[in-house]
Amino acid sequence: MARTWLLIRGDFVVGDATLNRFFAFHVIAVPLVLLGLVVAHIIALHEVGSNNPDGVDIKAKKDASGKPLDGIAFHPFYTVHDIFGVSVFLLVFSAVVFFAPEAGGYFLEYNNFIPADPLKTPAHIAPVWYFTPFYSMLRAITTQMMYVLVLCVVVAAVLAILRGGLSTVFKGVVAVGAVLLCVFMLSIDAKFWGVVVMGGAVIILFFLPWLDRSPVNSIRYRPSWNKWLYGIFVINFLVLGYLGIKPPSPINERVSQVGTLFYFGFFLLMPWWSRLGHFKTVPDRVNVAH
């Protein structure tokens, strides 16, 4: 009988054959699927072209063969663009790998180099650096923060009832739903809602195409204050990331809570603020200077 061995993970027991199929799928099939998607994407860009920086609808005007006239050609525009981007990435990547793999404990965490001691627990264990903004949001949800979130739900319900143009039936549904949601939020421990907020911070990004109600696509033709708002959002995200690697403290907690409210307010209020201001006229056609 062939030698068999078991890989035990939690409550699952995986045998030789299953384990081989598992690794074969993840080591061979997944890279091939990703490679196929990359090739298909490049072919589509080469044949059809891509959206343009001006935000002009490429489906509006097409030639006799059905090819968009305002699409950006794959070569030389995107080939040069991607080669430059990959080159910059490789320079930064090589600098980190060869000269600063630890980066002061930000890339390779300092806790990885502490000798194991079963009698001593580290005072603070930070997650991997790219998880720290979301970890900061997780820690920001406390019992006191839950009352602020309940107040946000109440204010949103009142605005929907007074300014939403809803019928009487829907106003009643909104009022009852807001009351039930507030009771539900206060009846469950804040730690659970911290996990929900951390997951929601990622999931909300998938709804951007529906949240952005701006009449123009390109930032070139949006109000100038939009750029300042985007800049504040980036700074807020970086601050949350920095606080995620620091030990808990009252000041850090308050800043994280304000940053979390701004993060979600940026997206949830986007259908409103993305339509404000004076928008420049978008040209009918794309003019490319050769």
Side-chain angles (χ1 to χ4, degrees):
M1 178 181 294
R3 179 181 62 86
T4 60
W5 58 281
L6 298 176
L7 173 66
I8 303 177
R9 285 187 176 179
D11 297 330
F12 297 94
V13 180
V14 184
D16 278 348
T18 304
L19 185 63
N20 291 335
R21 287 194 294 269
F22 175 83
F23 280 109
F25 175 78
H26 285 80
V27 176
I28 299 176
V30 172
L32 289 177
V33 171
L34 293 177
L35 180 61
L37 291 175
V38 170
V39 173
H41 178 66
I42 292 176
I43 292 175
L45 285 177
H46 185 271
E47 294 296 327
V48 181
S50 181
N51 290 332
N52 48 77
D54 283 331
V56 177
D57 185 9
I58 65 173
K59 298 180 181 179
K61 297 179 176 61
K62 302 179 181 179
D63 58 13
S65 62
K67 185 177 180 179
L69 296 175
D70 295 314
I72 301 298
F74 179 75
H75 181 77
F77 298 100
Y78 282 96
T79 51
V80 175
H81 175 273
D82 291 345
I83 290 174
F84 175 76
V86 170
S87 300
V88 173
F89 169 78
L90 290 178
L91 286 174
V92 176
F93 178 78
S94 300
V96 172
V97 170
F98 294 110
F99 299 102
E102 300 176 24
Y106 289 98
F107 291 109
L108 293 179
E109 292 76 11
Y110 176 74
N111 294 322
N112 293 332
F113 302 95
I114 300 177
D117 187 353
L119 301 179
K120 183 178 180 181
T121 302
H124 171 63
I125 301 177
V128 184
W129 62 272
Y130 45 82
F131 285 138
T132 52
F134 309 103
Y135 180 62
S136 184
M137 297 181 196
L138 169 66
R139 294 194 305 184
I141 307 303
T142 60
T143 303
Q144 294 78 12
M145 184 65 171
M146 290 305 302
Y147 294 108
V148 178
L149 296 180
V150 168
L151 178 62
C152 293
V153 172
V154 172
V155 171
V158 171
L159 291 177
I161 293 174
L162 298 180
R163 309 294 293 272
L166 303 176
S167 63
T168 305
V169 176
F170 280 103
K171 289 181 179 180
V173 172
V174 170
V176 174
V179 172
L180 293 177
L181 180 58
C182 292
V183 173
F184 184 60
M185 291 172 64
L186 294 176
S187 61
I188 299 180
D189 189 83
K191 295 180 181 179
F192 168 79
W193 293 110
V195 177
V196 173
V197 166
M198 183 175 63
V202 179
I203 295 175
I204 199 171
L205 299 175
F206 293 92
F207 295 93
L208 269 177
W210 297 274
L211 294 175
D212 189 356
R213 300 294 183 84
S214 175
V216 299
N217 295 325
S218 176
I219 195 174
R220 296 178 178 179
Y221 304 101
R222 297 191 182 193
S224 58
W225 59 265
N226 279 196
K227 298 178 181 179
W228 291 97
L229 184 60
Y230 298 144
I232 295 173
F233 175 82
V234 172
I235 294 174
N236 177 72
F237 191 77
L238 295 176
V239 170
L240 287 173
Y242 174 75
L243 295 177
I245 65 175
K246 305 299 291 183
S249 69
I251 296 179
N252 292 347
E253 181 180 288
R254 292 293 181 268
V255 176
S256 298
Q257 290 171 345
V258 174
T260 301
L261 290 175
F262 181 83
Y263 180 90
F264 281 94
F266 177 86
F267 292 107
L268 296 179
L269 296 178
M270 185 176 286
W272 169 68
W273 64 258
S274 62
R275 294 179 292 179
L276 298 178
H278 176 70
F279 296 88
K280 300 177 182 178
T281 303
V282 180
D284 294 331
R285 298 293 306 278
V286 175
N287 296 319
V288 180
H290 295 283

